[in-house]
Amino acid sequence: MHEAIRCTTVINAPGLRLEAAEFCSESCILATTSDGTLLSLKPDARAAPGSPWQVLNAVKSFSRKTITCLRYLRVHGYILTQADDGVGLFQLASLEGVGLNSSPSLKLIPKTKNPACFCVNKQETLLCVCTKKKLLIFQWFEGEFTELQEFPISETIKRVEWCGEYIIVAQKKEYQLFNLSSGAYTEVIPTGKSTQSPKILQLPYNELLLLKDNVGVFVGLDGKLTRKFGVSWSEQPAHMQVISPYAIAVLKNLIEVRSLHRESSHAVVQTISLKNVSFCSSSSHSGKGNLLLGSQSSIHMLSCVPLLEQIQQLGKSGEFEEALRLCDSMSDEDHVWRITKSGLHQRYGWALFARKMYTEAIRQFSLSSKSPRHVLRLYPSLLPEAARVAVQSLPKLVVLKDCRYPDRSEVSDVPAFKALLPYLLQQRRKILEFCKEKRDSNRRSSFGVLENNDGLIEDAVEEGWGGIDLIQLVDTGLLHCFLVLEDWDQMLKFLQEKNNVDIAEAEQVLQKKGHYIELILLYRQLERHHEALGMLKSLVIRPDTFQVPPHESTINNLKGTNASIEYLLYLDDQHEDLVLEHSKWIVQYDPQGAFRIFTYRYPSLSSEKVLEHLKDYAPGLRIKYLEFLISKEGGDLKGLQDKLIILLLDEVVSRLGADGRAGGEGQDAKEEVAGYRERLQSLLATSEGFSPEWLLSQLPEGHMLEERALLLRRLGKHREALGIYIHGLGSEDLALRYCEGVYQSAAGGNGKLLSGDGGGPGAGGLSQSPGDGDLNVYLDLMRILLESGEGEGRMGRILDLMTERCDRIDLVQVLGILPEATPLYELIEYLKASFSHSLQERKKMSILKSLTKQEALQVRSELINHQKQSVVVHPESVCKFCYKRVQNSVFVVDKDDGRLIHFVCHRRKEQQKGGGGGGGGGLGEGK
């Protein structure tokens, strides 16, 4: 318990027979006696505060009946009285002029004789008076209350109070809510078993307190309960009033003070020894102000001790929860209030921390405006070495003198670090947001301001922390927490982002735990790439060299060379040499992974450097890399194709045995060589920059015949090439495909084909300049077939070929090479086909000639029509767009409406549309 309410004596005069009293102001209290005398009291200006008051005026026979209740109307400056002859009203200011021959006038309100109780609403505009048989409503108007409504009642009302737009009344058995509009009653709660008078009190924030036996029940303006628990008194009180945030109950021998807070309403805040209290003032003005208690011979005044003073009392006694509740009940939050509340949260946190209630302790620290340094001080094992030494030299907090600080090496202290982690994450976010807003400010002073964001707390740097910034302390503490709690995922995420961890502390603790991947991420964030990549290399090829074996999280995230590859892909363009240097060992262990490095970093990583690098350290990747470069179609395409052809040729030649077959064991080796040859043949057929003569000299004699034939075709030596297909490879089909390709290429280049299927197999895209030799390639094939041997089957095949390809073989030349002994009847089919083809070609040429002539006539007609058109330009003719005269300027005729447009204006409009040319008609010049 603490002193929440102070009790002082206003007057003590035996024999006065006091009946009622009301506090009007700091300098005026009114009281009445049983003989109808009205007393006006004021404090003695010469006496010390808390001394008894003096009687300023005494108006005898003020009322014919004994006044049992006084109610001061602050808004109007009037006093309401209650006596058996009715409810009266007089002006407070009239007491100031009281003399020997004058007295204040008490005016009774009509129809209020024998009142049981009365009440006034908060605005003091409405008055409710309850008599034995009536409930009367009066309205304030021009210095008096005039009757507004009248309701009959069947049962005497013992207490009444305004409840918003309603009235709540207390009868013998229950409290009821009375609707003035409908005259209906609604039951609220029973009054209880006691026969004593019920009590109704208005509370701040639209609540009322109803007395049921010895319990105060909270209800709202709608008559419904607002709290699960009420205010429980030690016994049923004779009187009950409110001085916010406390409820005051007058018991038989003492005054009991209890809190109105829901959480502590069951607790006694204070007791005051005071006996024989027979009356109390009608209200403390909604819980604000002073309360008067009196007996027949004395009056005592209860006033609330200033809340800050109460809070200090509670803090000293360790009742932090109640102190914080009082802080929350204060409406005038100021500088001192913030200091007090912040200090309470911190001291409460210390007390909870000493009892090892870490979660709640950290919650209190987070509600304080104190620096996170004050919390980290309780966790010295999380601090960098310099800060740890500095903190350990500080005097230990008195409240924690017998408390052992949590140690990260103790398993039993894990709950302490689990509670701390969310707090540090929250503080880190606040610091980073603050630094972002104050980016132009000095770093150290920025953190100082953050710690003093309310202007309340001194900068903890002055206490000695090894000169380490706050953000560095927080980040280092976070790293330790992740390690203690084994939260590997969150630690990895934290180290991948920009952080301010103390590097020396991090290196020591991470290496000690075997968290090498995490340390590598920290190095990367600090741009210590050489150290990071060196450690990655050691983890892959020499893991046994580490004093502490790699932790499971490191092994899981290493994934062979993948971590090194990802690291090299992360580096920016300025680390080109570093990428090449550390890719040397990767190509030995993972060639495909190394290839991913070079292709991902294209084109920022110089392709010339990469090719030179691959030549020394990974020759087998050069072919694949060149193919990648060619697919990008950038740079010197011909040069790249030449290099690729040479590399493919070298690779194939080196793998062929003496018999021209792929060396090595297994089907895979053969398929690989076949793949190389297929790509080489494709390049020989499409590339244009290589030297066919030189490549022919590099081919092994008697081997790689397909490649040799392609090179001979490039040189225009079709007969030799066809000889390879017929004699070397023994394939007439390949020879025919070769001929078709050459002929289609030559005929298309010379423009001699009007129609056809296009290039067949073997067309290949060769782009040498076509000549007559290319068009006569089928004659070369005929000669080779005729030279290869005679026989009925061979000759029949030659004649069939002549018939099938009659459109590609010259009739005169082919007849000249046929053997003289060839029977004429065998040539009949060929001659029919040849003549038929010639006739078709002649018809086509005739049709084409007619169409061309018709088109020429049509174009000439259009020309004549355009030449007939004319445009008349007057001196007054203006441009459609700029409205300036055309005169001698170049102009365009709008094809839509025939209006003139300056050519410059026309071009500007077309450019604005994003296109040009359309929309204009003829072009002319003004005359």
Side-chain angles (χ1 to χ4, degrees):
M1 293 192 294
H2 69 285
E3 185 184 17
I5 301 295
R6 287 201 179 109
C7 180
T8 57
T9 301
V10 175
I11 189 172
N12 187 10
L16 274 180
R17 294 180 297 169
L18 297 168
E19 293 291 337
E22 178 73 344
F23 185 87
C24 298
S25 67
E26 297 293 336
S27 60
C28 179
I29 291 177
L30 297 182
T32 61
T33 63
S34 59
D35 59 359
T37 302
L38 177 67
L39 302 177
S40 176
L41 309 176
K42 73 170 186 177
D44 188 352
R46 295 169 297 179
S51 300
W53 289 36
Q54 294 179 331
V55 177
L56 177 64
N57 290 316
V59 182
K60 294 184 178 181
S61 301
F62 178 72
S63 173
R64 290 179 299 170
K65 299 291 184 178
T66 301
I67 296 176
T68 58
C69 181
L70 295 171
R71 173 71 161 85
Y72 176 47
L73 304 179
R74 288 180 176 273
V75 176
H76 309 298
Y78 280 76
I79 305 293
L80 282 172
T81 65
Q82 178 181 334
D84 290 343
D85 54 356
V87 176
L89 181 71
F90 72 93
Q91 193 172 11
L92 180 62
S94 63
L95 290 174
E96 298 177 0
V98 174
L100 295 175
N101 299 322
S102 63
S103 63
S105 174
L106 178 63
K107 183 179 180 180
L108 295 177
I109 300 175
K111 296 185 178 182
T112 60
K113 189 174 182 180
N114 297 319
C117 55
F118 74 89
C119 66
V120 182
N121 65 350
K122 286 186 177 181
Q123 294 79 18
E124 297 181 355
T125 56
L126 295 174
L127 169 67
C128 176
V129 180
C130 297
T131 63
K132 291 183 179 180
K133 297 182 178 181
K134 297 179 182 180
L135 186 149
L136 302 166
I137 304 297
F138 299 89
Q139 185 176 18
W140 179 264
F141 181 74
E142 295 183 355
E144 63 181 13
F145 282 104
T146 59
E147 184 178 353
L148 187 63
Q149 287 177 290
E150 178 181 327
F151 299 93
I153 55 177
S154 58
E155 185 180 346
T156 303
I157 295 175
K158 296 184 177 182
R159 279 287 186 273
V160 66
E161 189 59 71
W162 283 93
C163 184
E165 298 179 354
Y166 304 98
I167 289 178
I168 191 165
V169 298
Q171 297 176 331
K172 184 176 181 181
K173 295 183 178 180
E174 61 185 2
Y175 294 94
Q176 291 185 327
L177 196 66
F178 180 64
N179 189 328
L180 296 175
S181 300
S182 63
Y185 289 90
T186 303
E187 182 180 351
V188 181
I189 60 171
T191 56
K193 300 177 181 179
S194 174
T195 58
Q196 292 194 22
S197 176
K199 305 290 186 296
I200 306 174
L201 294 180
Q202 276 196 356
L203 303 177
Y205 312 115
N206 298 324
E207 276 188 311
L208 291 95
L209 187 66
L210 310 182
L211 182 64
K212 179 182 178 182
D213 294 331
N214 66 326
V215 178
V217 180
F218 295 94
V219 299
L221 298 182
D222 56 356
K224 297 180 180 180
L225 301 182
T226 57
R227 308 191 191 184
K228 294 181 179 179
F229 304 100
V231 181
S232 300
W233 307 107
S234 301
E235 59 185 71
Q236 183 168 2
H239 303 280
M240 186 174 68
Q241 282 294 351
V242 172
I243 301 180
S244 183
Y246 301 108
I248 313 295
V250 178
L251 307 183
K252 290 181 180 180
N253 297 317
L254 53 86
I255 307 298
E256 196 169 86
V257 181
R258 291 181 182 265
S259 174
L260 287 173
H261 291 299
R262 184 180 306 172
E263 297 86 350
S264 58
S265 59
H266 62 281
V268 177
V269 176
Q270 182 185 1
T271 57
I272 301 171
S273 178
L274 192 63
K275 300 180 180 180
N276 302 323
V277 175
S278 58
F279 65 87
C280 69
S281 57
S282 60
S283 71
S284 61
H285 305 289
S286 296
K288 300 177 182 178
N290 300 317
L291 180 65
L292 299 179
L293 302 178
S295 61
Q296 288 191 346
S297 60
S298 62
I299 299 175
H300 301 276
M301 182 166 60
L302 302 184
S303 57
C304 186
V305 176
L307 291 181
L308 281 177
E309 185 177 333
Q310 295 184 54
I311 291 167
Q312 292 172 357
Q313 293 180 40
L314 292 167
K316 289 179 181 179
S317 61
E319 299 179 52
F320 299 107
E321 291 186 42
E322 187 63 28
L324 289 169
R325 290 192 188 97
L326 284 181
C327 282
D328 293 335
S329 68
M330 294 178 65
S331 58
D332 51 341
E333 301 177 3
D334 57 5
H335 176 80
V336 177
W337 175 86
R338 289 193 296 272
I339 290 179
T340 305
K341 188 173 183 182
S342 178
L344 282 172
H345 281 301
Q346 186 183 43
R347 291 162 61 193
Y348 189 23
W350 286 341
L352 293 168
F353 196 88
R355 300 202 298 268
K356 295 187 177 182
M357 300 172 65
Y358 299 115
T359 302
E360 182 59 26
I362 296 298
R363 191 180 76 85
Q364 293 299 324
F365 291 140
S366 66
L367 294 173
S368 170
S369 62
K370 298 286 186 178
S371 166
R373 296 178 189 269
H374 295 276
V375 179
L376 288 171
R377 179 178 178 177
L378 307 178
Y379 294 84
S381 64
L382 300 185
L383 299 174
E385 183 64 27
R388 190 182 310 136
V389 172
V391 168
Q392 289 174 347
S393 65
L394 296 175
K396 201 166 186 179
L397 298 170
V398 176
V399 68
L400 300 173
K401 62 180 180 179
D402 298 326
C403 175
R404 182 183 67 81
Y405 291 146
D407 192 320
R408 55 187 168 87
S409 61
E410 296 290 336
V411 178
S412 59
D413 291 335
V414 169
F417 296 98
K418 187 176 182 180
L420 178 67
L421 180 59
Y423 170 81
L424 292 180
L425 290 171
Q426 178 193 43
Q427 295 301 317
R428 186 175 192 268
R429 284 193 296 269
K430 289 182 178 179
I431 294 171
L432 294 178
E433 289 173 3
F434 182 86
C435 293
K436 186 177 181 181
E437 296 173 0
K438 303 291 184 180
R439 193 169 293 169
D440 297 333
S441 303
N442 178 266
R443 186 180 185 190
R444 177 63 58 81
S445 63
S446 294
F447 290 141
V449 174
L450 177 67
E451 296 169 43
N452 294 302
N453 54 3
D454 286 326
L456 308 176
I457 304 159
E458 72 283 354
D459 190 351
V461 173
E462 302 299 328
E463 299 178 10
W465 289 73
I468 300 177
D469 281 333
L470 177 60
I471 187 63
Q472 193 172 3
L473 295 173
V474 172
D475 281 3
T476 306
L478 278 171
L479 177 62
H480 282 300
C481 282
F482 292 140
L483 288 168
V484 171
L485 301 176
E486 297 183 356
D487 194 344
W488 314 133
D489 293 338
Q490 199 165 358
M491 181 168 68
L492 279 171
K493 182 180 178 182
F494 170 71
L495 292 174
Q496 285 173 339
E497 300 173 351
K498 185 176 181 181
N499 58 72
N500 296 272
V501 172
D502 184 86
I503 185 60
E505 183 78 11
E507 284 180 318
Q508 179 183 358
V509 68
L510 289 174
Q511 288 180 351
K512 186 177 180 181
K513 298 285 187 178
H515 289 279
Y516 300 110
I517 281 290
E518 290 81 355
L519 182 56
I520 289 166
L521 290 174
L522 184 59
Y523 283 152
R524 188 178 78 174
Q525 190 265 330
L526 297 172
E527 297 189 356
R528 292 168 59 172
H529 304 304
H530 190 73
E531 295 175 62
L533 289 166
M535 184 172 289
L536 280 170
K537 178 181 178 181
S538 300
L539 285 170
V540 175
I541 63 178
R542 296 190 302 274
D544 54 342
T545 59
F546 291 91
Q547 293 183 354
V548 179
H551 189 270
E552 182 181 355
S553 65
T554 294
I555 297 172
N556 293 338
N557 287 281
L558 188 62
K559 298 178 182 178
T561 60
N562 191 59
S564 302
I565 294 170
E566 294 294 335
Y567 195 108
L568 292 175
L569 296 181
Y570 163 84
L571 297 176
D572 52 30
D573 297 346
Q574 64 181 351
H575 297 98
E576 186 175 295
D577 294 337
L578 193 63
V579 172
L580 293 175
E581 175 66 27
H582 284 274
S583 67
K584 294 177 182 178
W585 69 270
I586 296 178
V587 296
Q588 300 176 13
Y589 288 85
D590 185 5
Q592 297 306 318
F595 179 74
R596 186 158 65 97
I597 296 172
F598 303 132
T599 55
Y600 181 86
R601 300 190 68 86
Y602 174 85
S604 60
L605 186 59
S606 170
S607 58
E608 294 295 331
K609 282 188 176 181
V610 173
L611 287 171
E612 192 65 29
H613 180 74
L614 293 176
K615 180 180 178 181
D616 296 333
Y617 300 100
L621 288 178
R622 287 186 295 169
I623 293 175
K624 191 173 182 180
Y625 186 69
L626 280 169
E627 290 177 333
F628 164 77
L629 294 177
I630 292 171
S631 68
K632 294 298 181 180
E633 297 183 0
D636 183 14
L637 188 58
K638 291 183 179 180
L640 295 174
Q641 288 177 337
D642 288 351
K643 292 179 181 178
L644 181 56
I645 289 172
I646 294 171
L647 288 176
L648 287 170
L649 181 59
D650 290 343
E651 190 69 25
V652 173
V653 171
S654 65
R655 296 196 180 198
L656 290 178
D659 57 353
R661 298 182 179 179
E665 298 290 337
Q667 185 67 22
D668 293 340
K670 295 179 181 179
E671 291 179 356
E672 189 174 6
V673 173
Y676 284 140
R677 291 191 65 183
E678 184 179 348
R679 284 181 278 175
L680 177 59
Q681 291 168 19
S682 176
L683 281 171
L684 292 176
T686 56
S687 181
E688 300 177 5
F690 62 89
S691 171
E693 295 87 349
W694 183 83
L695 286 176
L696 277 172
S697 66
Q698 303 300 313
L699 294 178
E701 192 67 29
H703 305 302
M704 299 182 70
L705 299 180
E706 292 92 337
E707 292 82 355
R708 187 178 294 274
L710 289 171
L711 291 172
L712 288 172
R713 176 183 174 180
R714 183 57 63 92
L715 294 173
K717 299 179 180 181
H718 303 303
R719 191 164 183 173
E720 294 182 34
L722 290 170
I724 290 175
Y725 287 120
I726 298 297
H727 302 300
L729 298 174
S731 174
E732 289 186 13
D733 290 338
L734 290 177
L736 285 172
R737 290 172 59 187
Y738 178 89
C739 291
E740 184 67 17
V742 173
Y743 186 88
Q744 289 282 10
S745 179
N750 285 333
K752 293 184 179 180
L753 285 182
L754 297 178
S755 63
D757 295 334
L766 286 171
S767 58
Q768 74 276 9
S769 299
D772 293 340
D774 295 339
L775 291 174
N776 294 326
V777 66
Y778 278 98
L779 286 174
D780 292 333
L781 179 59
M782 297 297 103
R783 290 188 180 96
I784 292 175
L785 290 175
L786 290 170
E787 293 171 358
S788 63
E790 297 183 357
E792 184 177 353
R794 171 67 68 180
M795 195 62 191
R797 176 63 184 136
I798 293 172
L799 293 174
D800 291 340
L801 180 60
M802 289 168 57
T803 304
E804 292 173 3
R805 297 291 190 268
C806 64
D807 59 330
R808 287 162 169 75
I809 301 174
D810 185 82
L811 176 62
V812 177
Q813 292 185 19
V814 76
L815 290 176
I817 65 173
L818 288 175
E820 294 181 0
T822 304
L824 185 59
Y825 71 87
E826 293 182 358
L827 299 176
I828 295 235
E829 292 298 325
Y830 166 68
L831 292 174
K832 286 180 180 180
S834 181
F835 288 149
S836 176
H837 173 70
S838 297
L839 288 174
Q840 289 177 2
E841 290 297 315
R842 190 171 183 177
K843 288 180 181 180
K844 287 181 181 179
M845 292 300 294
S846 177
I847 294 171
L848 180 61
K849 182 178 180 180
S850 299
L851 291 174
T852 304
K853 185 177 180 180
Q854 186 68 27
E855 185 179 1
L857 291 173
Q858 185 178 356
V859 171
R860 183 171 180 80
S861 175
E862 291 180 2
L863 175 61
I864 292 171
N865 290 334
H866 282 292
Q867 287 176 341
K868 287 180 180 180
Q869 294 179 2
S870 62
V871 179
V872 179
V873 181
H874 298 285
E876 294 81 11
S877 298
V878 295
C879 174
K880 177 181 176 180
F881 292 142
C882 68
Y883 297 101
K884 294 181 180 179
R885 292 182 179 181
V886 175
Q887 295 182 348
N888 296 328
S889 303
V890 179
F891 63 87
V892 174
V893 180
D894 193 325
K895 69 178 182 180
D896 295 328
D897 55 12
R899 296 178 63 183
L900 305 183
I901 306 171
H902 283 124
F903 179 72
V904 175
C905 297
H906 168 72
R907 185 171 56 184
R908 186 182 302 118
K909 289 293 182 181
E910 292 300 324
Q911 289 174 351
Q912 291 175 358
K913 292 178 182 178
L923 185 67
E925 185 173 356
K927 298 293 184 181

